[in-house]
Amino acid sequence: MSRVVICLLRCDLRAHDNQVLHWAQDNADFVIPLYCFDPRHYLGTHCFGFPKTGPHRLRFLLESVKDLRETLKKKGSTLVVRKGKPEDVVRDLITQLGSVSAVAFHEEVTQEELDVEKGLCQVCKEHGVKIQTFWASTLYHRDDLPFRPIARLPDVYTHFRRAVESEVKVRPTLRMAEQLKPLAPGLEEGCIPTMEDFGQKDPVTDPRTAFPCSGGETQALMRLQYYFWDTNLVASYKESRNGLVGMDYSTKFAPWLALGCISPRYIYEQIQKYERERTANQSTYWVLFELLWRDYFRFVALKYGRRIFSLRGLQSKEIPWKKDLQLFDCWKEGKTGVPFVDANMRELSATGFMSNRGRQNVASFLTKDLGLDWRMGAEWFEYLLVDYDVCSNYGNWLYSAGIGNDPRDNRKFNVIKQGLDYDGNGDYVRLWVPELQGIKGADIHSPWALSSAALSQAGVTLGETYPQPVVTAPEWSRYISQRPGGSPHPRGRRGPAQVPAQHKDRGIDFYFSRKKDVC
């Protein structure tokens, strides 16, 4: 009897370094690569009911699924696509084919994904079908960690990083077959749905976007080729990574990593090759440093389970969070009256992307300046981010809210100082908050501090053309120029992607988002 293996693909939408496909190739006569559009992914978020998957990420996902199908077809296979819960789809396929010997998939760590795995195990048990699972979502393999059991995982990233870097080796990428085993005879590949099938419109690409890229493994590999080998941008990544405008200040790998379109181990091997053949410096290391942050948040989710979604966080802190929907609307719409915050939130809404530096600031502003429930921000990011990854998103929001893996108590970003440091001329704010374009230089970061004459000359009327700030923090005053004109801040000569030397190593890279693409 022919052996049929169903390979359920979820956040592993690639043909390279894919252990599920690799195993199936050696253990089946027919291989069925399967992707399911799970209707539960298109409902509301858990606490506040925002749409779970917004238009930017949905388009990126559809592109990634289409790209993987095209890649698999070149290898003599294809990607079977179905709409439905994976456990139901797999049950139907087992019944239809009658000769399924195994169902293989990569393991996930958070509750909704684990519930799917539990359902799959039940279906396979009922039908006498073997379950074969693998761990493949991180740079360092779970089974190689020096922390066993996972409850011994350090609660401080630096302790984790030092132990892993000194004691663990990255496993090599898998050599994949040029040609894959075919589908079982008579099996329809199924249609890839459209944006309209999910009740969404294809978003218009904003010309200001820092991520004008398409989904899929092909584009991910092109991006790495561009960022490493064609331009050598990786060699200056540590200096440029806190930029705000354009494609090339960061790697922009995160959206592809989130869907598994590129393997972190492949990135690691390419970094090692680059260091051998071109140069090894702090920048090339820093890419691995941030891949390790991504690993760490996944292992934190493995350790703490549902607690990463808890209001009290990992530290069980009782904080009187507010749920002021009017304040939250100001934040999410980019109408707080604080230009650096508003520019970042408008970029997110328009493009599905925001810089690492921006994410740190808007999260700190929501939790520390507005005192709003951190989960409101986390779920809003879940809705809009093209690079949404459950572990990184919630790990970073917990960190920002002061209830996660931060060894320092009461960390708070001074959003005025941050704007002056990283957008000294105000070019980024002018790009996204055009109603303030008439304000010259660094004074754009605090329009409420300008004289009425200066505002009038700039064509700005606070409370009408641009909001009064919804909150002001006392620590801002040290960095607000009270000059009546619009003379630039002393640091204002720096370009928007320039990073002051004393800030280059400051802060967590809020949501592992540094990527670039050639698309």
Side-chain angles (χ1 to χ4, degrees):
M1 185 185 225
S2 298
R3 299 169 300 163
V4 178
V5 171
I6 297 173
C7 297
L8 177 64
L9 304 178
R10 295 185 289 174
C11 293
D12 46 4
L13 299 180
R14 63 178 182 270
H16 75 276
D17 195 31
N18 189 314
Q19 195 161 6
V20 165
L21 296 177
H22 186 270
W23 180 85
Q25 183 74 6
D26 293 336
N27 290 274
D29 302 301
F30 300 103
V31 174
I32 303 172
L34 170 68
Y35 184 83
C36 299
F37 285 90
D38 189 333
R40 293 167 293 196
H41 294 172
Y42 306 92
L43 301 175
T45 57
H46 183 70
C47 294
F48 299 98
F50 307 137
K52 266 197 166 191
T53 304
H56 302 289
R57 188 162 76 259
L58 178 56
R59 177 173 66 182
F60 196 81
L61 171 62
L62 292 170
E63 291 167 345
S64 299
V65 168
K66 181 181 178 183
D67 180 73
L68 182 57
R69 173 174 279 182
E70 291 171 355
T71 298
L72 293 178
K73 282 186 173 180
K74 293 172 186 174
K75 294 175 175 292
S77 179
T78 188
L79 180 64
V80 174
V81 171
R82 298 287 187 268
K83 287 186 73 173
K85 298 177 181 178
E87 52 271 47
D88 294 341
V89 172
V90 167
R91 177 188 286 112
D92 292 345
L93 287 174
I94 290 173
T95 303
Q96 174 188 345
L97 297 170
S99 57
V100 175
S101 57
V103 174
F105 56 83
H106 287 123
E107 297 174 45
E108 292 291 336
V109 299
T110 45
Q111 195 59 48
E112 292 176 5
E113 291 75 17
L114 293 177
D115 288 345
V116 169
E117 294 175 18
K118 184 178 178 181
L120 287 167
C121 289
Q122 184 61 37
V123 166
C124 289
K125 183 179 179 181
E126 291 170 4
H127 290 84
V129 172
K130 175 184 177 181
I131 284 277
Q132 182 68 45
T133 67
F134 302 96
W135 180 269
S137 56
T138 52
L139 177 61
Y140 288 93
H141 198 286
R142 173 192 60 193
D143 297 343
D144 297 338
L145 294 180
F147 320 108
R148 305 294 293 274
I150 196 66
R152 293 182 54 230
L153 181 80
D155 286 327
V156 175
Y157 168 74
T158 302
H159 301 163
F160 161 80
R161 177 181 61 79
R162 287 174 179 164
V164 167
E165 287 180 337
S166 63
E167 300 178 42
V168 186
K169 289 186 177 180
V170 176
R171 296 186 182 186
T173 55
L174 298 167
R175 295 180 67 89
M176 305 297 291
E178 288 297 318
Q179 289 293 303
L180 297 176
K181 299 286 177 64
L183 292 189
L187 185 63
E188 297 282 336
E189 66 176 7
C191 295
I192 297 174
T194 64
M195 296 284 295
E196 291 72 24
D197 291 332
F198 295 93
Q200 299 201 40
K201 293 181 179 179
D202 197 4
V204 176
T205 299
D206 193 298
R208 298 169 293 181
T209 183
F211 190 75
C213 306
S214 302
E217 178 181 20
T218 303
Q219 288 294 323
L221 298 176
M222 286 174 63
R223 176 62 186 174
L224 186 145
Q225 172 69 28
Y226 168 80
Y227 196 76
F228 285 20
W229 302 103
D230 297 345
T231 64
N232 292 308
L233 285 165
V234 68
S236 56
Y237 166 69
K238 190 165 183 280
E239 290 70 44
S240 67
R241 67 196 170 92
N242 281 307
L244 300 168
V245 178
M247 283 274 292
D248 289 345
Y249 64 80
S250 65
T251 69
K252 303 292 192 301
F253 294 152
W256 292 294
L257 278 165
L259 290 179
C261 299
I262 192 168
S263 160
R265 298 192 301 197
Y266 177 75
I267 297 173
Y268 174 83
E269 289 183 355
Q270 288 292 301
I271 282 284
Q272 295 229 304
K273 184 172 187 281
Y274 186 90
E275 290 181 334
R276 288 193 306 269
E277 298 181 9
R278 300 273 175 97
T279 188
N281 59 19
Q282 284 192 325
S283 287
T284 55
Y285 167 72
W286 216 255
V287 174
L288 304 181
F289 178 89
E290 293 189 6
L291 282 175
L292 259 180
W293 263 114
R294 180 177 174 273
D295 274 19
Y296 182 58
F297 283 132
R298 190 156 293 256
F299 295 132
V300 166
L302 195 60
K303 174 179 177 177
Y304 284 101
R306 293 187 181 187
R307 281 176 63 185
I308 69 168
F309 306 112
S310 164
L311 179 64
R312 299 192 301 168
L314 309 185
Q315 303 179 18
S316 297
K317 276 188 183 178
E318 288 287 356
I319 297 175
W321 301 109
K322 296 185 294 187
K323 291 183 174 64
D324 185 323
L325 293 180
Q326 189 173 358
L327 267 183
F328 179 72
D329 284 347
C330 291
W331 178 82
K332 73 180 177 66
E333 293 168 11
K335 296 179 180 178
T336 67
V338 182
F340 193 54
V341 172
D342 292 346
N344 278 287
M345 294 306 297
R346 294 183 192 187
E347 180 185 14
L348 173 64
S349 181
T351 71
F353 192 80
M354 188 194 298
S355 70
N356 157 67
R357 183 55 47 181
R359 297 182 203 204
Q360 296 181 68
N361 276 275
V362 302
S364 177
F365 186 80
L366 179 115
T367 57
K368 302 296 177 62
D369 289 301
L370 300 182
L372 293 177
D373 185 337
W374 67 273
R375 299 171 303 176
M376 301 172 86
E379 292 190 5
W380 190 250
F381 272 29
E382 178 175 355
Y383 163 47
L384 280 178
L385 279 174
V386 69
D387 60 4
Y388 172 73
D389 170 286
V390 58
C391 301
S392 294
N393 187 56
Y394 279 86
N396 277 303
W397 274 97
L398 288 165
Y399 187 105
S400 187
I403 53 176
N405 300 94
D406 191 350
R408 284 187 273 178
D409 283 337
N410 301 317
R411 182 195 301 265
K412 180 184 179 184
F413 281 82
N414 183 325
V415 295
I416 301 302
K417 182 178 186 301
Q418 289 275 306
L420 295 172
D421 283 348
Y422 296 101
D423 185 31
N425 286 322
D427 296 338
Y428 173 72
V429 168
R430 270 179 219 95
L431 185 67
W432 291 103
V433 189
E435 60 266 42
L436 298 180
Q437 282 181 351
I439 301 177
K440 304 301 181 186
D443 287 337
I444 198 171
H445 289 291
S446 50
W448 62 88
L450 297 179
S451 68
S452 55
L455 289 171
S456 178
Q457 185 179 6
V460 176
T461 305
L462 293 182
E464 293 183 18
T465 61
Y466 185 71
Q468 294 277 2
V470 295
V471 66
T472 54
E475 66 270 16
W476 295 354
S477 61
R478 285 174 291 167
Y479 302 96
I480 293 176
S481 168
Q482 300 291 345
R483 298 183 302 279
S487 55
H489 184 270
R491 291 180 180 150
R493 287 181 294 278
R494 303 180 198 277
Q498 298 287 126
V499 182
Q502 70 269 31
H503 295 291
K504 286 179 183 175
D505 299 335
R506 178 173 297 178
I508 178 179
D509 270 345
F510 179 63
Y511 181 173
F512 173 58
S513 62
R514 356 126 271 260
K515 285 64 217 248
K516 265 110 237 152
D517 200 296
V518 265
C519 20

